[in-house]
Coordinates of all heavy atoms in Angstrom, one line a residue:
I191 N 5.4 -3.2 -2.6 CA 5.6 -2.8 -1.2 C 6.4 -1.6 -1.1 O 6.4 -0.9 0.0 CB 6.3 -4.0 -0.4 CG1 7.8 -4.1 -0.8 CG2 5.6 -5.3 -0.6 CD1 8.6 -4.6 0.4
F192 N 7.1 -1.2 -2.2 CA 7.9 0.1 -2.1 C 7.1 1.3 -2.5 O 7.7 2.4 -2.5 CB 9.1 0.0 -3.0 CG 10.1 -1.1 -2.6 CD1 10.0 -2.4 -3.1 CD2 11.1 -0.9 -1.6 CE1 10.9 -3.4 -2.8 CE2 12.0 -1.9 -1.2 CZ 11.9 -3.1 -1.8
S193 N 5.8 1.1 -2.8 CA 5.1 2.2 -3.4 C 4.6 3.3 -2.4 O 3.9 4.2 -2.8 CB 3.8 1.7 -4.2 OG 4.2 0.9 -5.3
G194 N 5.0 3.2 -1.2 CA 4.6 4.2 -0.2 C 5.1 5.6 -0.5 O 4.5 6.6 -0.2
Y195 N 6.2 5.6 -1.2 CA 6.8 6.9 -1.6 C 5.9 7.8 -2.5 O 5.9 9.0 -2.5 CB 8.2 6.7 -2.3 CG 8.1 6.2 -3.7 CD1 7.9 7.0 -4.8 CD2 8.1 4.8 -3.9 CE1 7.9 6.5 -6.1 CE2 8.0 4.3 -5.2 CZ 7.9 5.2 -6.3 OH 7.8 4.7 -7.6
I196 N 5.0 7.1 -3.2 CA 4.1 7.8 -4.1 C 3.2 8.7 -3.4 O 2.7 9.7 -3.9 CB 3.3 6.7 -5.0 CG1 4.3 6.1 -6.0 CG2 2.2 7.4 -5.8 CD1 4.8 7.0 -7.1
N197 N 2.9 8.4 -2.1 CA 2.0 9.3 -1.3 C 2.6 10.7 -1.2 O 1.8 11.6 -0.8 CB 1.7 8.6 0.0 CG 0.9 7.4 -0.1 OD1 -0.1 7.4 -0.7 ND2 1.3 6.3 0.6
M198 N 3.9 10.8 -1.4 CA 4.5 12.1 -1.3 C 3.9 13.1 -2.4 O 4.2 14.3 -2.4 CB 6.0 12.0 -1.5 CG 6.7 11.4 -0.3 SD 6.5 12.3 1.2 CE 7.6 13.7 0.9
A199 N 3.2 12.6 -3.4 CA 2.6 13.4 -4.4 C 1.7 14.5 -3.7 O 1.5 15.6 -4.2 CB 1.7 12.6 -5.3
V200 N 1.1 14.2 -2.5 CA 0.3 15.1 -1.8 C 1.0 15.5 -0.5 O 1.1 16.7 -0.1 CB -1.1 14.6 -1.5 CG1 -1.8 15.4 -0.4 CG2 -1.9 14.6 -2.8
F201 N 1.6 14.5 0.2 CA 2.2 14.8 1.5 C 3.5 15.6 1.4 O 4.0 16.1 2.4 CB 2.5 13.5 2.2 CG 1.3 12.8 2.8 CD1 0.6 11.9 2.1 CD2 0.8 13.2 4.0 CE1 -0.6 11.3 2.6 CE2 -0.3 12.6 4.6 CZ -1.0 11.6 3.8
N202 N 4.0 15.8 0.2 CA 5.2 16.6 0.0 C 5.0 18.1 0.5 O 5.9 18.8 0.9 CB 5.6 16.6 -1.4 CG 7.0 17.3 -1.7 OD1 8.0 16.8 -1.1 ND2 7.0 18.4 -2.5
Q203 N 3.7 18.5 0.5 CA 3.4 19.9 0.9 C 3.6 20.1 2.4 O 3.7 21.3 2.8 CB 2.0 20.3 0.5 CG 0.9 19.4 1.2 CD -0.4 19.6 0.6 OE1 -0.7 20.6 0.0 NE2 -1.4 18.7 0.8
V204 N 3.8 19.1 3.2 CA 4.0 19.3 4.6 C 5.4 18.9 5.0 O 5.8 18.8 6.2 CB 3.0 18.5 5.5 CG1 1.6 19.0 5.3 CG2 3.1 17.0 5.2
F205 N 6.3 18.6 4.0 CA 7.7 18.2 4.3 C 8.6 19.3 3.8 O 8.3 20.0 2.8 CB 8.1 16.9 3.6 CG 7.6 15.7 4.2 CD1 6.3 15.1 4.0 CD2 8.4 15.0 5.2 CE1 5.9 14.0 4.6 CE2 8.0 13.8 5.8 CZ 6.7 13.3 5.5
K206 N 9.8 19.5 4.5 CA 10.9 20.2 3.9 C 11.6 19.3 2.9 O 11.3 18.1 2.9 CB 11.9 20.7 5.0 CG 11.3 21.7 5.9 CD 12.3 22.0 7.0 CE 11.7 23.0 8.0 NZ 12.6 23.2 9.2
P207 N 12.4 19.8 2.0 CA 13.1 18.9 1.1 C 13.8 17.8 1.8 O 14.6 18.0 2.8 CB 14.1 19.8 0.4 CG 13.5 21.1 0.4 CD 12.7 21.2 1.7
L208 N 13.6 16.5 1.4 CA 14.1 15.4 2.2 C 15.5 15.1 1.8 O 15.9 15.2 0.6 CB 13.3 14.1 1.9 CG 11.8 14.2 2.3 CD1 11.0 13.0 1.8 CD2 11.7 14.3 3.8
Q209 N 16.4 14.7 2.8 CA 17.8 14.4 2.5 C 18.0 12.9 2.3 O 19.0 12.5 1.7 CB 18.6 14.8 3.7 CG 18.5 16.3 4.1 CD 18.9 17.2 2.9 OE1 19.9 16.9 2.2 NE2 18.1 18.2 2.6
L210 N 17.1 12.1 2.7 CA 17.1 10.6 2.6 C 18.5 10.0 3.0 O 19.1 9.3 2.3 CB 16.9 10.3 1.1 CG 15.4 10.5 0.6 CD1 15.3 10.1 -0.9 CD2 14.4 9.8 1.4
K211 N 18.8 10.3 4.2 CA 20.1 9.8 4.8 C 20.0 8.3 5.0 O 21.0 7.6 5.0 CB 20.4 10.5 6.1 CG 20.6 11.9 6.0 CD 20.8 12.5 7.4 CE 21.0 14.0 7.4 NZ 21.1 14.6 8.7
Y212 N 18.8 7.8 5.2 CA 18.6 6.4 5.5 C 17.8 5.7 4.4 O 17.0 4.8 4.7 CB 17.8 6.3 6.9 CG 18.5 7.0 8.0 CD1 18.0 8.2 8.5 CD2 19.6 6.4 8.6 CE1 18.7 8.8 9.5 CE2 20.3 7.0 9.7 CZ 19.8 8.2 10.1 OH 20.4 8.9 11.1
L213 N 18.1 6.0 3.2 CA 17.4 5.4 2.1 C 17.8 3.9 2.0 O 16.9 3.1 1.6 CB 17.9 6.0 0.7 CG 17.2 5.5 -0.5 CD1 15.7 5.8 -0.5 CD2 17.8 6.2 -1.8
W214 N 19.0 3.5 2.5 CA 19.4 2.1 2.5 C 18.4 1.3 3.4 O 18.2 0.1 3.1 CB 20.8 2.0 3.0 CG 21.0 2.6 4.4 CD1 21.4 3.8 4.7 CD2 20.8 1.9 5.6 NE1 21.5 4.0 6.0 CE2 21.1 2.9 6.6 CE3 20.5 0.6 6.0 CZ2 21.1 2.5 8.0 CZ3 20.4 0.3 7.4 CH2 20.7 1.3 8.3
L215 N 17.9 2.0 4.4 CA 17.0 1.3 5.3 C 15.7 0.8 4.6 O 15.2 -0.3 4.9 CB 16.6 2.2 6.5 CG 15.9 1.6 7.7 CD1 16.8 0.6 8.3 CD2 15.5 2.7 8.7
I216 N 15.3 1.5 3.6 CA 14.1 1.1 2.8 C 14.4 -0.2 2.1 O 13.6 -1.1 2.0 CB 13.7 2.2 1.8 CG1 13.1 3.4 2.6 CG2 12.7 1.7 0.8 CD1 12.6 4.5 1.8
G217 N 15.7 -0.3 1.5 CA 16.1 -1.5 0.9 C 16.1 -2.7 1.8 O 15.6 -3.8 1.5
V218 N 16.7 -2.5 3.0 CA 16.8 -3.6 4.0 C 15.5 -4.0 4.5 O 15.1 -5.2 4.5 CB 17.7 -3.1 5.1 CG1 17.7 -4.2 6.2 CG2 19.1 -2.9 4.7

Side-chain angles (χ1 to χ4, degrees):
I191 76 153
F192 295 95
S193 295
Y195 71 90
I196 289 292
N197 292 313
M198 290 296 288
V200 165
F201 285 92
N202 189 59
Q203 62 190 342
V204 296
F205 281 88
K206 294 177 181 176
L208 297 174
Q209 301 303 315
L210 293 181
K211 298 176 183 175
Y212 303 103
L213 185 63
W214 57 270
L215 193 60
I216 288 180
V218 173

